Amino acid sequence: MTHPTLLVIAHGSRDPRHAATVHALTERVRAERPGLRVETAFLEFNAPSVPRVLERLAAQGADEVVALPLLLTRAFHAKTDIPSVLRAARARLPRLHIRQADVLGPSPLLNATLGRRLREAGVRPGDLPRTALVLASAGSSDPEAIAVIAEIARELRHTGWCAVRPAFASALLPRTEDVVRELRAEGVERVAVAPYVIAPGRLPDRIAAGAEAAGADVLADVLGPAPELARLLLNRFDEARVPVGASLSA
């Protein structure tokens, strides 16, 4: 028997910053838990692919893999794409036990990562009562994913911001620039934009462009390889290994 392998599954992007950020995050996960084997795979655009990594692990004698979607909400990729890829792999590699972990969000650790990026961008605790926050996500047509973003915005509103509004880079409205301008029209003194995305790419660039075009005062960085995010990946890994009905403390 071998120890389980953590397989982090990212979407992938033609933008080289995306893969670089994903690899930096998985390196931080390795540093957080020495001895854990952590592999990275992509659904598209980047190599290695998920099937290729699973085949390599099976050939090397691995017998258990926890496949962790590097996704913030349960939308199409988490519900359809990744389960389909993993089902096909199980059929080809019957000796390899593959579990799919839950997506990353929602989680207090994601909110903590957002806070870190906003502080790094210059937001101080005393700024919050006169500052509105635009929570800018990639966007989705999945109602469950949209509801999660709305709930996170409501939670953040109770942390001191004068207002928190969601915005989306694709799939639905409003866009980042629309929300920033709306808040300005309401008389908000300062507006901060926080991209609720993990790695750079086309959609985060769209968020940044919208923030700049509308004159946002603060633009935070993407979540990236933050220590809180690395701990969240390990939490999801541990949760996936616990049998249904059991306790993590058991």
Side-chain angles (χ1 to χ4, degrees):
M1 296 289 290
T2 60
H3 293 293
T5 296
L6 169 56
L7 174 60
V8 178
I9 301 177
H11 181 270
S13 170
R14 293 185 177 90
D15 188 323
R17 296 173 299 166
H18 176 90
T21 300
V22 171
H23 287 303
L25 176 59
T26 54
E27 281 298 327
R28 186 176 283 275
V29 171
R30 292 186 187 98
E32 288 277 340
R33 188 170 297 181
L36 173 64
R37 182 171 182 177
V38 183
E39 297 284 344
T40 308
F42 299 89
L43 286 175
E44 55 184 339
F45 300 123
N46 302 103
S49 68
V50 178
R52 180 63 57 88
V53 174
L54 290 171
E55 288 162 5
R56 172 164 54 82
L57 289 170
Q60 293 171 349
D63 54 20
E64 183 180 357
V65 173
V66 173
L68 173 58
L70 195 62
L71 301 169
L72 298 176
T73 59
R74 278 180 46 78
F76 183 79
H77 295 306
K79 294 178 177 179
T80 302
D81 281 354
I82 292 176
S84 176
V85 170
L86 297 182
R87 279 195 302 271
R90 292 186 188 103
R92 293 193 314 274
L93 309 166
R95 295 185 180 180
L96 184 62
H97 181 55
I98 305 170
R99 300 189 189 194
Q100 181 177 337
D102 201 359
V103 296
L104 300 178
S107 168
L109 286 169
L110 286 172
N111 294 355
T113 307
L114 278 173
R116 170 188 289 273
R117 296 308 183 213
L118 285 159
R119 290 191 300 274
E120 291 170 350
V123 175
R124 297 293 174 259
D127 298 332
L128 269 59
R130 59 191 180 92
T131 304
L133 175 64
V134 179
L135 182 68
S137 72
S140 171
S141 59
D142 187 290
E144 181 181 350
I146 298 167
V148 166
I149 299 300
E151 179 59 28
I152 293 168
R154 284 191 290 269
E155 289 178 3
L156 291 173
R157 175 65 182 86
H158 297 297
T159 61
W161 301 93
C162 72
V164 181
R165 306 273 175 83
F168 307 94
S170 68
L172 70 163
L173 299 174
R175 298 286 185 255
T176 300
E177 54 269 33
D178 300 328
V179 179
V180 173
R181 290 180 180 126
E182 178 183 278
L183 289 164
R184 292 287 194 210
E186 294 173 7
V188 173
E189 184 177 342
R190 283 167 52 84
V191 179
V193 174
Y196 192 64
V197 291
I198 293 173
R202 178 175 56 88
L203 296 181
D205 284 350
R206 185 179 295 174
I207 291 169
E212 182 178 359
D217 299 283
V218 175
L219 173 63
D221 201 356
V222 297
L223 301 176
E228 296 88 351
L229 193 53
R231 289 198 294 274
L232 178 55
L233 265 67
L234 288 169
N235 287 352
R236 294 291 185 254
F237 170 76
D238 292 335
E239 291 163 2
R241 296 184 60 207
V242 175
V244 175
S247 168
L248 280 172
S249 60

